[in-house]
Amino acid sequence: MSGVRVSEEVKLLFNKMKVVKNTDAEEDRIRLVILHIDGEIKVEKCYVQKDLEGKGDVFKFLQSLLLKDECRYILYDCHYETKESSKKEELVYIMWAPGTARIKSKMQYASSKTAIDCVVEGVKHKLQINDLSDIDRTEFAEKLGNPIKLEGYSI
């Protein structure tokens, strides 16, 4: 373990994502959180539902946020539909460590993974992505158990 700790803000945001209350307005729900290491694991950017309005495909938007030379952790409130026509919402935790990132950065994110793993305990889908081809819609859908729709788009 690297000794990097997770900020309180990250813990609070994750708990808000995990426990959605019926009284919460849909447009204020946290859907996507980008985390980075800057002394500790901190929130770089947080997107609520209303921030994603007009962005089109949320999954493509997520892909566009992945910088080719920088590692990140991502919390993603993924909405999808199964073959049985049931709608599901599940949290997905992603460690983005592209092969083109600096070795020091990749090592720091890998060694700090234990700290963030403790915070996101209970998340069903934990993925490590090292290349954009690892996060194409079909591959991602397979990791979720092959839903027929992901964020409103057929797969």
Short mmCIF file of all heavy atoms in Angstrom, two decimals, residues 13 23 39 71 89 96 98 111 118-119 122:
data_model
loop_
_atom_site.label_atom_id
_atom_site.label_comp_id
_atom_site.label_asym_id
_atom_site.label_seq_id
_atom_site.Cartn_x
_atom_site.Cartn_y
_atom_site.Cartn_z
N LEU A 13 -19.27 11.25 -1.17
CA LEU A 13 -19.87 11.11 -2.49
C LEU A 13 -20.23 9.67 -2.79
O LEU A 13 -21.31 9.38 -3.32
CB LEU A 13 -18.95 11.66 -3.58
CG LEU A 13 -18.96 13.17 -3.76
CD1 LEU A 13 -17.91 13.58 -4.78
CD2 LEU A 13 -20.32 13.66 -4.19
N THR A 23 -36.59 10.57 -1.93
CA THR A 23 -36.85 12.01 -1.94
C THR A 23 -35.83 12.79 -2.77
O THR A 23 -36.02 13.97 -3.02
CB THR A 23 -36.84 12.56 -0.49
OG1 THR A 23 -35.58 12.26 0.11
CG2 THR A 23 -37.98 11.98 0.33
N GLY A 39 -1.71 14.02 -3.48
CA GLY A 39 -1.45 13.92 -2.04
C GLY A 39 -2.36 12.90 -1.38
O GLY A 39 -1.94 12.11 -0.54
N CYS A 71 -3.64 8.32 -15.37
CA CYS A 71 -4.43 7.34 -14.63
C CYS A 71 -5.53 8.06 -13.85
O CYS A 71 -5.36 9.21 -13.45
CB CYS A 71 -3.54 6.57 -13.66
SG CYS A 71 -2.20 5.66 -14.44
N GLU A 89 -29.76 -0.41 -12.10
CA GLU A 89 -28.78 0.64 -11.83
C GLU A 89 -27.75 0.02 -10.91
O GLU A 89 -28.09 -0.50 -9.86
CB GLU A 89 -29.43 1.83 -11.13
CG GLU A 89 -30.51 2.49 -11.92
CD GLU A 89 -31.22 3.59 -11.15
OE1 GLU A 89 -30.70 4.01 -10.09
OE2 GLU A 89 -32.28 4.01 -11.59
N TRP A 96 -8.57 3.33 -14.25
CA TRP A 96 -8.06 3.62 -15.58
C TRP A 96 -6.57 3.83 -15.49
O TRP A 96 -6.09 4.77 -14.84
CB TRP A 96 -8.77 4.86 -16.13
CG TRP A 96 -8.18 5.44 -17.37
CD1 TRP A 96 -7.57 6.66 -17.47
CD2 TRP A 96 -8.14 4.87 -18.68
NE1 TRP A 96 -7.15 6.87 -18.76
CE2 TRP A 96 -7.49 5.80 -19.52
CE3 TRP A 96 -8.57 3.67 -19.21
CZ2 TRP A 96 -7.28 5.55 -20.87
CZ3 TRP A 96 -8.36 3.42 -20.56
CH2 TRP A 96 -7.73 4.35 -21.37
N PRO A 98 -3.88 3.67 -18.37
CA PRO A 98 -3.49 3.41 -19.75
C PRO A 98 -2.01 3.06 -19.87
O PRO A 98 -1.18 3.55 -19.10
CB PRO A 98 -3.81 4.73 -20.46
CG PRO A 98 -3.72 5.77 -19.39
CD PRO A 98 -4.19 5.09 -18.13
N SER A 111 -0.63 0.95 -6.42
CA SER A 111 -0.33 0.75 -5.01
C SER A 111 -1.35 1.42 -4.09
O SER A 111 -1.48 1.06 -2.93
CB SER A 111 1.08 1.23 -4.68
OG SER A 111 1.20 2.62 -4.87
N CYS A 118 -11.22 -0.23 -0.29
CA CYS A 118 -11.88 -0.28 1.03
C CYS A 118 -13.07 0.66 1.07
O CYS A 118 -14.08 0.36 1.72
CB CYS A 118 -10.89 0.08 2.14
SG CYS A 118 -9.61 -1.15 2.37
N VAL A 119 -12.98 1.78 0.39
CA VAL A 119 -14.07 2.76 0.37
C VAL A 119 -15.23 2.28 -0.49
O VAL A 119 -16.39 2.46 -0.14
CB VAL A 119 -13.57 4.14 -0.11
CG1 VAL A 119 -14.70 5.11 -0.35
CG2 VAL A 119 -12.58 4.71 0.90
N GLY A 122 -18.42 -3.34 -1.63
CA GLY A 122 -19.81 -3.65 -1.96
C GLY A 122 -20.18 -3.35 -3.40
O GLY A 122 -21.26 -3.72 -3.85
#
